Amino acid sequence: MRVLIGGGSGFIGRELTHLLKAKGHEVTVISRQPGPGRITWGELESGGLPQCDSVVNLAGENLMNPLRWWNESYKKDLFSSRVDTTKALSRVIAESSSPPHSWVLVSGLACYKPSLTAEYTEDSEWTPFDLLSRLVKEWEAAARLPESVAKTTKQVVVRPGAVLGRDGGAMKQMLLPFWLGLGGTLGSGRQSFPWIHVSDLAGIIALSLEPPADAPCPSPQVYNGVAPAFNTNYEFTKELGQILRRPTILPVPSFVLNTLLGSERAVILTQGQKVIPKRTLESGYQYKYPDLTSALKQIVES
């Protein structure tokens, strides 16, 4: 299988590329920089879709980039880096004389309204309620293919939680303060913390790339890219502290996170949603790291 990956040089993209190559697939990455095994976004725009069987989009400015202030310029980059790249890919897929059999967008969980009691599955209906949920709405809408193409190309949306891994994502910024004994709960700590190990997210995406057994559904198939365990931020904090053998006694109040990150962005850390991977489990995907202990041990000990 020949797979084209937008944003393939990032944290999740590297893991997915490694997994696909290990399975014997051929991978081409769309990147800002040219190089072997790559094409640029400019080449995609001018030359159209290269010959491929599946397409994935992982591109997007890092939402939790600690080096960028939460301002209008940053918000604009968050939208354009996700929505524009997705539009570009869905356009070249629609225009291709031999479109791929699978088209996968990796978006996010911000569509589900934070709650201490609600539970969400892939079938939960939702409407945008803040900036990040509007982003998910525009992002997923940009991926929709025309009906004529959707008859042959399977459309999939994977919505991941906090992606845990040694070389990037949430853990990269957390490990040092926790090692120093400065780790603690965020906000109240009672909020749900939907998470997934990067290996499992790559596995779910890889499974989604397989050719459809029957005629594709005209609307996208949604998978919640989260582990089947349900943990709060408090439980995550205590588990990580225990594995690192470090105290976790310094909670970070919500107002501090709001000040440092901006309230629209801090909501990801201070509030949460209980998200159930119902369709992901029904697909038959076997999690390598279904619980927090096994996931964190692998990350800390690797």
Side-chain angles (χ1 to χ4, degrees):
M1 186 163 66
R2 291 160 298 183
V3 184
L4 182 67
I5 306 178
S9 52
F11 168 50
I12 300 164
R14 293 192 302 271
E15 185 77 19
L16 179 60
T17 299
H18 179 75
L19 174 63
L20 292 172
K21 286 185 173 178
K23 288 175 175 283
H25 303 310
E26 186 184 313
V27 176
T28 301
V29 169
I30 314 169
S31 173
R32 286 189 288 252
Q33 304 298 326
R38 295 182 176 200
I39 64 166
T40 65
W41 288 99
E43 287 168 338
L44 182 82
E45 289 277 358
S46 58
L49 190 74
Q51 197 67 38
C52 61
D53 302 297
S54 301
V55 180
V56 185
N57 194 22
L58 295 162
E61 170 77 30
N62 178 8
L63 178 58
M64 302 307 285
N65 186 343
L67 304 177
R68 293 200 62 177
W69 285 108
W70 188 249
N71 54 28
E72 291 309 312
S73 165
Y74 186 24
K75 292 177 199 176
K76 191 178 172 189
D77 286 351
L78 285 177
F79 272 74
S80 62
S81 63
R82 287 164 172 75
V83 177
D84 293 353
T85 56
T86 303
K87 275 183 182 168
L89 279 166
S90 56
R91 181 180 62 78
V92 295
I93 289 170
E95 291 173 355
S96 173
S97 56
S98 55
H101 58 62
S102 302
W103 159 222
V104 179
L105 173 69
V106 180
S107 62
L109 295 181
C111 54
Y112 304 126
K113 199 167 190 174
S115 170
L116 291 174
T117 53
E119 295 184 355
Y120 298 101
T121 71
E122 294 90 345
D123 298 318
S124 300
E125 291 188 6
W126 61 280
T127 51
F129 54 90
D130 66 358
L131 180 87
L132 296 178
S133 58
R134 287 199 302 277
L135 170 56
V136 174
K137 191 77 172 176
E138 282 188 38
W139 197 2
E140 294 186 0
R144 290 293 290 261
L145 297 174
E147 260 182 64
S148 56
V149 186
K151 286 175 182 172
T152 53
T153 298
K154 176 176 73 169
Q155 303 176 87
V156 178
V157 172
V158 179
R159 296 175 181 154
V163 184
L164 306 182
R166 182 81 185 190
D167 301 320
M171 292 300 297
K172 196 170 187 181
Q173 293 165 29
M174 280 187 218
L175 279 175
L176 181 59
F178 270 82
W179 269 116
L180 296 173
L182 302 175
T185 52
L186 303 177
S188 71
R190 293 188 301 130
Q191 69 274 28
S192 289
F193 182 73
W195 61 273
I196 189 166
H197 191 287
V198 67
S199 295
D200 280 319
L201 180 57
I204 292 165
I205 297 168
L207 186 64
S208 302
L209 293 174
E210 296 296 329
D214 307 305
C217 178
S219 54
Q221 189 85 343
V222 177
Y223 293 100
N224 285 331
V226 295
F230 305 115
N231 300 104
T232 61
N233 175 261
Y234 174 84
E235 290 165 344
F236 171 81
T237 302
K238 292 300 164 192
E239 188 66 38
L240 182 54
Q242 205 169 336
I243 288 169
L244 291 170
R245 297 189 178 87
R246 295 291 189 275
T248 52
I249 53 174
L250 295 170
V252 185
S254 296
F255 77 87
V256 172
L257 291 164
N258 289 342
T259 303
L260 290 174
L261 298 171
S263 58
E264 289 174 310
R265 177 164 58 158
V267 71
I268 293 174
L269 302 177
T270 59
Q271 299 181 37
Q273 318 93 322
K274 188 173 183 181
V275 180
I276 299 165
K278 177 174 173 281
R279 198 171 288 141
T280 309
L281 289 165
E282 288 170 356
S283 75
Y285 179 73
Q286 299 285 316
Y287 284 83
K288 288 174 72 176
Y289 304 101
D291 61 88
L292 205 45
T293 306
S294 63
L296 292 177
K297 277 189 173 174
Q298 189 280 330
I299 291 164
V300 168
E301 293 167 6
S302 62

